[in-house]
Amino acid sequence: MKYTPWFVRGIVILLILIVALTSCNKEENEAKITIGEVTRSVFYAPEYVAAAQGFFAEEGLEVDIQTTAGGDKTMAALLAGSVDIALVGAETSIYVYQQGAEDPVINFAQLTQTDGTFLFARNAQNSFDWEQLRQSVFLGQRKGGMPQMAGEFVLNKHGINPSSDLELIQNVDFANIASAFASGTGDYVQLFEPQASIFEQEGRGKVVASFGTESGHLPYTVFMTKQSYLNENKELVQKFTNALHKAQLWVDSHTAEEIAQVITPFFKDIDPAILTSSVSRYKEQGTYAIDPIIDGDEWNNLLNVMSAAGELKERVELNTIVDPSFAEQALQGRK
């Protein structure tokens, strides 16, 4: 059977129209959000669960998670608009506010509610006492960052003055702290998981205390965005928060083994046993928030930690740069 030229042309035009309409519908239905996370860490397990378990997809979101190493770089990426939402310490939003930003950064959903570092001793004794840190060499974190501020807060709590009772090293970049300790720098170091478990497995020392347990609840790692983005994308931010809360509840109701299995694609180079032990440590000390709400007690504890570190110009009230409406709505939707 022969087809006339006009018939062939008609079919081609029809196919082109179908493809064009499909592409338009796809573009209209896609809701893309780019997250800039301060580091890739087991500490952020609920974020990866939200992606791996399809909770973002259930809300109609396509989420791209980018690791923007360091709090300063993450905030710079957010302010520049290269990421839509940042996952970083709440203190960074306070720094931006203190600088008089015209478009302030607003915290809208909490991910972790304790510090995520552990005190790791190179030559651990049978029983640990904070007094053992006197006259030691302590490999700390970046000045002004939450790990360092929480660390100093805990040391002071135990009567150890970080500036006079030990040798505090703070000139090592975050990404190089573990390798610096491995090469022989420091008697003690603050480590996140899974690095602490890896070093224990390698016989480099042992975890002797948890800064998360010692410093109490605070909005340690928070999802935040610019006020302008929030105003223009309320529905997207709400869907994002809904998905996060689903993941938080899932993490709370599942074992460390199950969580580790789900987030394995994000940590392909980590031994499954190490991944499980890392998640277990965080679950046992209540690090993962079970809802996205930043409450007043947590916020005030954060301000106390920053004030003790000399990094707070003035106390910033909770409702100044925290919008609880998205977290509250997410909770309402799960009841």
Side-chain angles (χ1 to χ4, degrees):
M1 180 178 182
K2 293 184 178 179
Y3 295 104
T4 60
W6 67 264
F7 180 83
V8 173
R9 284 197 299 272
I11 292 296
V12 171
I13 292 171
L14 181 61
L15 288 173
I16 291 173
L17 286 173
I18 290 173
V19 171
L21 288 171
T22 301
S23 298
C24 288
N25 288 334
K26 184 178 180 182
E27 288 177 2
E28 289 174 1
N29 292 332
E30 282 181 346
K32 296 181 179 180
I33 293 179
T34 302
I35 302 173
E37 58 174 12
V38 66
T39 186
R40 177 56 51 89
S41 175
V42 180
F43 192 41
Y44 307 147
E47 175 192 27
Y48 311 127
V49 167
Q53 290 295 95
F55 297 138
F56 286 134
E58 286 176 9
E59 293 288 335
L61 301 178
E62 180 184 338
V63 173
D64 176 25
I65 302 174
Q66 299 180 4
T67 302
T68 45
D72 52 347
K73 294 184 179 67
T74 302
M75 185 53 68
L78 180 65
L79 295 176
S82 55
V83 301
D84 303 313
I85 292 172
L87 176 62
V88 65
E91 81 285 354
T92 58
S93 65
I94 294 176
Y95 293 147
V96 171
Y97 178 78
Q98 288 182 156
Q99 292 168 3
E102 293 183 5
D103 191 3
V105 173
I106 306 299
N107 303 276
F108 67 86
Q110 179 170 284
L111 184 72
T112 61
Q113 60 187 8
T114 74
D115 182 278
T117 61
F118 298 87
L119 179 62
F120 194 90
R122 187 182 301 280
N123 299 303
Q125 301 178 27
N126 291 331
S127 60
F128 172 72
D129 188 282
W130 290 92
E131 286 294 315
Q132 294 167 9
L133 272 73
R134 290 190 186 276
Q135 309 307 314
S136 68
V137 179
F138 189 98
L139 182 53
Q141 302 275 339
R142 177 179 59 85
K143 186 181 186 303
M146 273 310 300
Q148 182 60 36
M149 290 192 292
E152 291 183 13
F153 184 78
V154 171
L155 291 175
N156 281 309
K157 171 184 168 183
H158 288 281
I160 306 295
N161 187 323
S163 62
S164 61
D165 293 335
L166 47 75
E167 181 184 342
L168 180 61
I169 298 176
Q170 287 183 281
N171 60 353
V172 179
D173 289 340
F174 176 81
N176 298 322
I177 287 175
S179 58
F181 186 80
S183 66
T185 302
D187 303 310
Y188 294 91
V189 64
Q190 273 180 272
L191 293 177
F192 284 91
E193 286 288 11
Q195 193 61 60
S197 291
I198 291 172
F199 274 5
E200 282 188 328
Q201 186 184 64
E202 293 174 348
R204 298 184 185 276
K206 64 179 292 189
V207 169
V208 293
S210 163
F211 286 104
T213 299
E214 292 285 341
S215 58
H217 280 196
L218 68 168
Y220 197 87
T221 321
V222 176
F223 287 105
M224 59 186 73
T225 189
K226 292 186 292 186
Q227 182 71 70
S228 58
Y229 183 87
L230 206 61
N231 293 342
E232 296 166 7
N233 299 277
K234 289 184 180 295
E235 185 178 353
L236 284 187
V237 174
Q238 187 60 65
K239 289 180 176 181
F240 181 90
T241 309
N242 294 344
L244 171 65
H245 187 41
K246 290 178 187 177
Q248 290 175 321
L249 294 175
W250 192 95
V251 168
D252 187 52
S253 63
H254 287 74
T255 66
E257 290 80 5
E258 291 169 325
I259 297 167
Q261 185 175 8
V262 166
I263 68 174
T264 292
F266 294 90
F267 301 94
K268 294 178 180 179
D269 297 330
I270 304 297
D271 184 306
I274 291 291
L275 199 56
T276 298
S277 70
S278 301
V279 172
S280 181
R281 264 198 177 124
Y282 284 134
K283 272 183 68 75
E284 287 172 1
Q285 68 179 30
T287 287
Y288 303 128
I290 60 174
D291 65 58
I293 289 180
I294 302 169
D295 66 41
D297 288 342
E298 292 173 325
W299 187 257
N300 284 325
N301 193 29
L302 168 66
L303 297 181
N304 292 339
V305 169
M306 293 182 68
S307 180
E311 299 292 345
L312 192 65
K313 291 181 180 178
E314 61 182 67
R315 295 185 77 84
V316 181
E317 295 303 316
L318 176 71
N319 60 5
T320 305
I321 52 174
V322 173
D323 186 340
S325 63
F326 301 97
E328 291 169 352
Q329 183 60 43
L331 264 68
Q332 282 295 120
R334 299 299 296 172
K335 290 182 179 179

